[in-house]
Amino acid sequence: MSTAVYYGNMNALGYQPLSAWSPRLTVRPEIESFGPAGLISGKPRTISVDAETEAFEVTLVPSSEMTGADGRVGVRYVLELALFDTTFDGQQELVRHDIWVFTAIAGGGPIKDMGDAPPIGFFVGPPWPSSPRPGTYFDTETGDLGVYAVGVNF
């Protein structure tokens, strides 16, 4: 089975340092797929993020070598980031969830150069990201739910 190493850095994906949160990064194919060696599960795989450099890497089968369970040739991957904050009573609370869809180009390389879909964010706050990002925002103070997309509020 042909595999390659895909890598990235949370700062390169547009994040400020993650030291204030507990991140969980996972990757999975969009759908159950078949590769050169058989079935590739659609179950998310956890990716370790280096606490100091915020770098990560994962070995994947290139998208072009995968056939989806639906017969589609060339299956993209879903990279998900969940950020958790510790509450006053020590519980972990989800404060942000982002999703990227990318095509794993043969030969590997930086994931940020392979994105073919914009990030979709779900933000809980305040506090808010320092620069607006597309996504859904839930204001815990007012209970308001809103969507922000490229300078347009809905």
Side-chain angles (χ1 to χ4, degrees):
M1 172 178 4
S2 170
T3 61
V5 175
Y6 300 86
Y7 56 88
N9 183 290
M10 299 314 299
N11 289 322
L13 293 175
Y15 287 89
Q16 300 298 325
L18 298 177
S19 58
W21 296 299
S22 299
R24 188 183 84 210
L25 188 64
T26 62
V27 67
R28 63 178 172 79
E30 278 185 303
I31 60 172
E32 296 280 334
S33 304
F34 296 93
L39 182 66
I40 299 171
S41 174
K43 182 179 176 183
R45 291 177 29 204
T46 300
I47 303 172
S48 296
V49 178
D50 185 278
E52 289 185 31
T53 65
E54 298 184 358
F56 62 89
E57 68 177 39
V58 61
T59 301
L60 302 170
V61 174
S63 293
S64 62
E65 296 181 24
M66 295 169 48
T67 302
D70 61 359
R72 168 177 26 140
V73 177
V75 176
R76 299 179 305 173
Y77 284 91
V78 177
L79 184 70
E80 294 186 61
L81 173 67
L83 296 178
F84 295 88
D85 196 5
T86 304
T87 62
F88 69 92
D89 61 354
Q91 299 296 314
Q92 292 289 302
E93 178 180 56
L94 178 66
V95 293
R96 182 172 175 161
H97 183 243
D98 288 327
I99 300 171
W100 294 267
V101 178
F102 71 97
T103 300
I105 298 170
I111 290 174
K112 72 177 182 63
D113 295 340
M114 298 180 198
D116 55 10
I120 302 166
F122 184 81
F123 306 94
V124 178
W128 303 111
S130 56
S131 59
R133 298 173 186 260
T136 303
Y137 289 75
F138 177 71
D139 190 319
T140 57
E141 294 175 353
T142 65
D144 292 338
L145 186 65
V147 175
Y148 174 82
V150 193
V152 179
N153 291 304
F154 299 97

